[in-house]
Amino acid sequence: MAHLRLAAALTLALSIFGSHADAGVVLDYSDTTFFDGSSTVRVKAKAALEAAVADINAVIDFNLGAITNDVVTGTSGSTTATIDFRYGYRNPTTNATVEVPNTTMPANEFRIFVGMRPLSGSTLGQGGPGSVGAGFGASGFFNPGEAQAAVTAAAAASEHRRGDGPVMATLSGTVFGSPNDSAYSIEFGPTIGNLWFDDDVDNLGGSDGDAALDSFWHFDHTTAVDAGKNDFYSVALHETLHALGVGGSETWDSLVTNGTDWTGAEAIAEIGSGIGLIDAGGAHITDGTMSFRLSDGMAQEVVMDPSIFTGTRKSLTTLDAAFLRDLNYTTQITAVPEPSSLLAMTLAGAGTGLLRRRKPSHRKTRC
Ligand SMILES: [Zn+2]
């Protein structure tokens, strides 16, 4: 059954787009200078981040429609309603709210604004989807029946649901006021997100220098993680999946019941039960949940539980992929990400993967 569905999805994608070979998550460095740096630390950090995104892009078969116009209109009789869409995100370096003035997006693209900034406590990184908004206007003769019909027609012209992936948010309400009150409800799919990593590793406030960062983070994704260090690649994987809606989207929320139970069929089929599968915070798989790496089938803690041991690396597991399918993404789990470096790492680490959990490793939490 899985193969049939995969084949159908591929056929559809090819017929519409011709090729989707380089689609997927795109990293946007507009708000950071860190990753432009030429120091060894920064070059390795950027390479690890991009490797994590490449591995996600190899697993998710994105089918996201293009957003071609920031403003849509609908007409009924002599009334024309307009909806002007707005996206926002957190500047990953300053945390300031940024409004994207005119959001269009190519088919299959999801854009993430990345950076480094001071985080307190044991948080290694944070990631999430951007915000959405819309402004409404109308022109014409304007009477109650026409206004509603025009708004409904404009909302129907929205390209922002995009197709696959979770509903990130739904905007709903009424506009224009009595007696022209017109209701609307518009769903938004995955379009933009933000993620950042901690650069205040001594927790004394402010951004630390490369030497301090290098003693805290293990930046090089092509070598095994040094004891006591936090793996940058693993955190990049985790935060990118948050940006795509894991733990922070309307669809995710709709699948969590009783606070910690998961009702998505794919994850339940993968692990047997959704009872207690969600962490108490509501945004992660329960801490310590084990699954199997897509890369080599070895047992490993899932990427999307809330924490990671120092000295260890995670790669995507079958349960992480099942959660993505529950969020309405299509996964290409037969096309395992096999960058030579990651494969070498996982093979080298295979014998000690379980033993590491018994070591008195220091744990770090993260969003
Ligand atoms: Zn998290």
Side-chain angles (χ1 to χ4, degrees):
M1 191 175 71
H3 282 101
L4 280 176
R5 189 175 53 190
L6 195 58
L10 277 173
T11 303
L12 184 67
L14 289 171
S15 64
I16 294 174
F17 303 113
S19 168
H20 60 296
D22 52 4
V25 175
V26 173
L27 293 166
D28 192 313
Y29 297 97
S30 300
D31 302 305
T32 181
T33 56
F34 180 84
F35 294 101
D36 296 332
S38 59
S39 70
T40 303
V41 161
R42 295 178 181 213
V43 169
K44 286 179 178 175
K46 188 173 185 178
L49 172 56
E50 295 195 335
V53 165
D55 288 347
I56 288 170
N57 286 343
V59 167
I60 299 179
D61 192 12
F62 284 96
N63 292 292
L64 302 174
I67 298 174
T68 59
N69 201 327
D70 186 46
V71 179
V72 294
T73 62
T75 298
S76 173
S78 60
T79 302
T80 295
T82 62
I83 306 176
D84 184 357
F85 291 99
R86 294 162 191 164
Y87 282 80
Y89 66 93
R90 291 292 186 140
N91 181 308
T93 302
T94 68
N95 202 29
T97 300
V98 180
E99 183 175 319
V100 179
N102 185 3
T103 307
T104 58
M105 195 68 75
N108 297 324
E109 180 173 319
F110 179 86
R111 184 163 291 263
I112 300 183
F113 296 85
V114 299
M116 303 281 287
R117 82 159 111 115
L119 300 174
S120 61
S122 58
T123 303
L124 295 169
Q126 294 178 315
S131 62
V132 295
F136 292 80
S139 62
F141 176 70
F142 215 74
N143 64 58
E146 284 187 5
Q148 177 65 73
V151 166
T152 299
S158 165
E159 301 166 305
H160 295 258
R161 176 62 187 95
R162 304 196 73 191
D164 278 7
V167 175
M168 305 302 259
T170 301
L171 279 184
S172 61
T174 58
V175 286
F176 304 146
S178 179
N180 300 306
D181 242 3
S182 302
Y184 62 90
S185 180
I186 303 167
E187 292 182 338
F188 291 79
T191 299
I192 68 170
N194 37 226
L195 79 86
W196 48 81
F197 303 85
D198 184 25
D199 67 2
D200 177 20
V201 297
D202 58 13
N203 277 333
L204 294 175
S207 300
D208 298 324
D210 284 10
L213 295 178
D214 199 30
S215 66
F216 178 86
W217 289 106
H218 186 95
F219 287 112
D220 190 345
H221 71 287
T222 69
T223 58
V225 185
D226 295 338
K229 287 191 180 180
N230 299 280
D231 186 44
F232 201 75
Y233 167 91
S234 301
V235 176
L237 271 186
H238 180 99
E239 305 306 344
T240 300
L241 292 184
H242 273 320
L244 286 167
V246 176
S249 58
E250 193 171 297
T251 299
W252 173 277
D253 292 344
S254 76
L255 292 170
V256 177
T257 60
N258 304 317
T260 57
D261 296 339
W262 183 254
T263 62
E266 293 284 344
I268 290 172
E270 175 66 26
I271 201 168
S273 169
I275 305 298
L277 189 56
I278 301 302
D279 184 72
H284 294 96
I285 302 172
T286 298
D287 204 11
T289 301
M290 298 296 290
S291 183
F292 302 96
R293 285 195 289 248
L294 295 176
S295 59
D296 61 4
M298 293 298 295
Q300 181 209 280
E301 195 177 86
V302 293
V303 169
M304 290 316 295
D305 77 347
S307 63
I308 185 172
F309 285 116
T310 52
T312 66
R313 175 166 296 140
K314 293 181 182 181
S315 66
L316 293 169
T317 69
T318 55
L319 186 57
D320 293 306
F323 270 86
L324 289 170
R325 290 194 298 280
D326 278 335
L327 292 182
N328 201 36
Y329 288 110
T330 301
T331 61
Q332 179 73 279
I333 58 174
T334 53
V336 172
E338 287 186 0
S340 56
S341 55
L342 181 61
L343 184 63
M345 181 283 298
T346 53
L347 290 175
T352 56
L354 286 171
L355 289 176
R356 280 184 178 138
R357 288 188 54 79
R358 306 293 178 211
K359 286 184 178 178
S361 297
H362 183 54
R363 279 208 124 168
K364 299 285 282 190
T365 57
R366 60 193 190 201
C367 179

